[in-house]
Amino acid sequence: MKKILLGITALGLLIFSCKSSSTNDNSKKLDIAFESKSGSNVKGNAVFTEKNGEVTLVAKLTGLKPGIHAIHIHEKADCSAADAASAGGHWNPTFKKHGKWTDTEHHKGDIGNFTADVDGNATIIFNAKDEWCIGCGDANKDILGKGLIVHDKPDDYVTQPSGNAGARVACSAIIK
């Protein structure tokens, strides 16, 4: 919305213009970049968008082995270790068992599996509905301060607590 303010002075008419966000625009966006880990060549970026209380993740990756891989949100925004172990375990603020996002029991960080094409490229699109937020301060929903991890193997959705997804081949801190 653009507001126009008019003022009259001894020198004449003054016009001031300023832009303000529409009260209906409740969106947030966060762009992050992946670092290669565990000796991989995986690179990419991810964008989290929150609109009307729903968060969507879109990640684009290159340098993967062709086939199925897992992606999860982990406890810490710390990618300092060569194997990304510094990011901790899966983000699980509600103390549920590991599983598929569609199961009753799953971690808030259990995003799931995706497939890299024959060239090692992949795009992940995931809608967390209202289960996540960006900077809302709710410890059960807020993804800020967490880590986004790409794994070498697929998640089996059974093995506790991590789905036996193998090495951490890329890591990104979810920070502003």
Side-chain angles (χ1 to χ4, degrees), residues 151-164:
H151 293 272
D152 187 47
K153 297 179 182 177
D155 187 326
D156 67 12
Y157 301 115
V158 177
T159 304
Q160 299 299 320
S162 63
N164 197 31

Side-chain angles (χ1 to χ4, degrees), residues 39-102:
S40 81
N41 293 315
V42 179
K43 299 275 186 201
N45 71 318
V47 177
F48 290 94
T49 306
E50 182 175 352
K51 188 167 184 171
N52 299 322
E54 288 193 7
V55 176
T56 301
L57 162 68
V58 178
K60 295 183 182 213
L61 298 156
T62 63
L64 291 156
K65 292 181 196 170
I68 302 172
H69 301 269
I71 185 168
H72 304 113
I73 293 180
H74 285 245
E75 300 168 307
K76 301 173 194 163
D78 183 353
C79 296
S80 61
D83 64 355
S86 50
H90 290 185
W91 176 45
N92 186 19
T94 54
F95 306 102
K96 302 280 186 173
K97 288 182 181 177
H98 174 71
K100 287 183 183 177
W101 187 263
T102 54

Side-chain angles (χ1 to χ4, degrees), residues 6 35 70 109 127 133 160 171 174:
L6 300 174
E35 299 175 42
N127 186 317
C133 66
Q160 299 299 320
C171 180
I174 305 172

Side-chain angles (χ1 to χ4, degrees), residues 1-63:
M1 179 168 80
K2 194 172 187 177
K3 293 183 180 181
I4 306 290
L5 303 173
L6 300 174
I8 300 177
T9 70
L11 298 174
L13 180 67
L14 295 175
I15 301 174
F16 300 95
S17 174
C18 64
K19 286 185 178 181
S20 64
S21 296
S22 167
T23 55
N24 293 331
D25 185 15
N26 295 325
S27 63
K28 297 177 187 175
K29 186 176 177 182
L30 182 61
D31 295 284
I32 59 175
F34 286 100
E35 299 175 42
S36 300
K37 294 295 172 182
S38 302
S40 81
N41 293 315
V42 179
K43 299 275 186 201
N45 71 318
V47 177
F48 290 94
T49 306
E50 182 175 352
K51 188 167 184 171
N52 299 322
E54 288 193 7
V55 176
T56 301
L57 162 68
V58 178
K60 295 183 182 213
L61 298 156
T62 63

